[in-house]
Amino acid sequence: MPVVGTTVLTYADLANRLGDDGRVQQSIIELLGQTNEILEDMMVMQANSGIVHRTTVRTGLPVAAWRLLNYGIPRSKSTTAQVQDTVGMLEAYSEIDARIVQLSRDPAQLRLSEARAFLESMNQTMAQTLFYGNTAVNPERFLGLAPRFSSLAAPSGANIIDAGGTGLDNTSLWLILWGENTVHGIYPSTSPAGLQHQDLGEQTLFDSNNNPYQGFRDHWMWDLGLTLRDWRFVVRIANIDVSNLTSDPNYLKNIISLMIDAEERIYSLNGGRAVWYGNRTLRSAIRRAVLEKISNNLTEENVAGRVTTRFDGIPFRMVDQIVNNEARVV
């Protein structure tokens, strides 16, 4: 799908623009992309007011009228509303014994390898928040997608498709059209985009018994938010019954049929970058459908040793943080 505009970049685009140590920063972005594929697609823009991004969205169109000779036409105007989204600030510290670093042939890479657990934790937390973050419950985070598409009765309910699941093992499949006028990530106007790293150098650290030792400390910071400029460019196939998905071929066929419905509910697929998102269970089911040739819409290709599944040419990305125990959306 074509991408409109040049002001919106993905985190992959920004990989070489983070920090002075390009090699290490590049490794960080690649590491996160391996376990959180949404980073390869999510476009990001600078917030327009510090850690707050204010967006004016059109809520109604003016009324056009047929005119008779010698008669005027009624006045009308469009209606708008201002939406405010905030940036969440996620941070962590990693520490490693100085002696381990001194014995290493590549201290920088060693310290990065030791920080992987922290990075993975931040990665999972960020992915979880992108979909389920609820500022009404956790005001320090940012508002994710699920709370914005949580009611069939809301205006955005027009883009929620009910897959029929009623139990406690439901999941969702998302179709998102990333773009500067649709939906995109935001980062503070006062700081660089993406995951930031600060090398705090050698310090005196303390073990669990409060005994001192020399070590190196790194500070990791990731400021990110999400803005939804137009809900018509996101579709949630909700209430997908995981038990039926893995045991009933006819149910899987129905989900694929609903994917066609989802594409038709996107206002336009030409205004950005369209991507499907589901968890590992869904991707496994979709790949079985490819193998069993359930639908000609599904294709699979191997690019640079990596298998990519597509539906009508739109890539399917895996996000493990999309859970299998969602509450039923009503």
Side-chain angles (χ1 to χ4, degrees):
M1 297 294 173
V3 179
V4 177
T6 59
T7 60
V8 187
L9 303 174
T10 67
Y11 274 121
D13 296 329
L14 292 165
N16 290 317
R17 308 184 187 187
L18 303 178
D20 297 327
D21 188 346
R23 180 169 61 92
V24 174
Q25 293 292 339
Q26 176 74 35
S27 299
I28 294 170
I29 297 300
E30 291 175 349
L31 171 64
L32 295 178
Q34 289 172 4
T35 55
N36 184 9
E37 295 182 341
I38 194 171
L39 290 180
E40 299 180 16
D41 316 295
M42 182 177 67
M43 298 180 180
V44 290
M45 292 181 64
Q46 193 176 70
N48 52 28
S49 183
I51 62 170
V52 174
H53 190 75
R54 295 183 176 90
T55 306
T56 300
V57 297
R58 195 172 305 282
T59 57
L61 296 174
V63 177
W66 295 103
R67 180 180 178 273
L68 288 171
L69 291 176
N70 301 317
Y71 287 88
I73 59 174
R75 294 184 177 89
S76 67
K77 65 177 182 179
S78 65
T79 57
T80 60
Q82 190 172 84
V83 176
Q84 180 172 293
D85 290 294
T86 57
V87 173
M89 296 176 288
L90 187 65
E91 299 186 30
Y93 288 89
S94 61
E95 299 174 347
I96 183 172
D97 193 302
R99 287 293 293 154
I100 298 177
V101 176
Q102 292 165 4
L103 294 171
S104 171
R105 293 182 178 179
D106 190 341
Q109 287 300 319
L110 173 69
R111 290 172 65 182
L112 176 59
S113 69
E114 290 298 310
R116 282 176 180 265
F118 293 90
L119 295 175
E120 178 61 21
S121 176
M122 295 179 73
N123 183 30
Q124 293 182 13
T125 301
M126 192 63 76
Q128 193 272 344
T129 307
L130 279 169
F131 286 96
Y132 301 111
N134 190 338
T135 51
V137 179
N138 302 108
E140 73 279 6
R141 303 180 188 181
F142 61 87
L143 188 63
L145 287 168
R148 304 176 197 241
F149 293 85
S150 59
S151 172
L152 295 172
S156 62
N159 275 24
I160 301 175
I161 300 175
D162 186 356
T166 59
L168 300 176
D169 61 342
N170 297 321
T171 191
S172 293
L173 178 61
W174 295 84
L175 176 58
I176 301 174
L177 192 85
W178 299 106
E180 57 187 308
N181 295 313
T182 57
V183 56
H184 58 80
I186 53 176
Y187 63 93
S189 59
T190 55
S191 67
L195 184 66
Q196 301 301 308
H197 169 233
Q198 184 179 8
D199 184 350
L200 300 179
E202 184 173 343
Q203 299 185 9
T204 300
L205 307 178
F206 296 87
D207 63 18
S208 58
N209 296 317
N210 206 34
N211 294 318
Y213 67 98
Q214 290 303 107
F216 287 89
R217 176 177 288 168
D218 292 90
H219 185 201
W220 306 92
M221 300 162 287
W222 195 354
D223 300 339
L224 183 66
L226 183 72
T227 187
L228 180 66
R229 295 202 64 183
D230 194 331
W231 57 260
R232 298 174 301 170
F233 291 91
V234 176
V235 177
R236 179 184 188 180
I237 303 179
N239 305 328
I240 299 176
D241 189 301
V242 174
S243 298
N244 290 340
L245 185 69
T246 56
S247 62
D248 186 349
N250 290 325
Y251 188 75
L252 178 56
K253 292 179 181 179
N254 180 58
I255 297 302
I256 294 172
S257 177
L258 295 181
M259 292 173 74
I260 296 175
D261 292 344
E263 289 182 356
E264 294 303 318
R265 297 198 191 192
I266 292 287
Y267 187 70
S268 171
L269 286 170
N270 296 319
R273 177 180 296 168
V275 189
W276 290 99
Y277 296 101
N279 62 18
R280 195 175 300 268
T281 304
L282 264 171
R283 188 171 76 166
S284 176
I286 294 297
R287 293 193 65 193
R288 289 201 311 274
V290 176
L291 181 64
E292 297 167 9
K293 301 185 182 339
I294 291 178
S295 171
N296 291 330
N297 303 62
L298 286 168
T299 59
E300 205 167 65
E301 58 187 36
N302 192 310
V303 179
R306 177 177 175 178
V307 176
T308 300
T309 304
R310 298 178 183 272
F311 184 79
D312 284 341
I314 301 174
F316 182 101
R317 305 291 195 198
M318 184 181 70
V319 180
D320 277 330
Q321 295 304 305
I322 299 177
V323 299
N324 283 332
N325 59 349
E326 291 181 348
R328 175 169 169 76
V329 176
V330 295

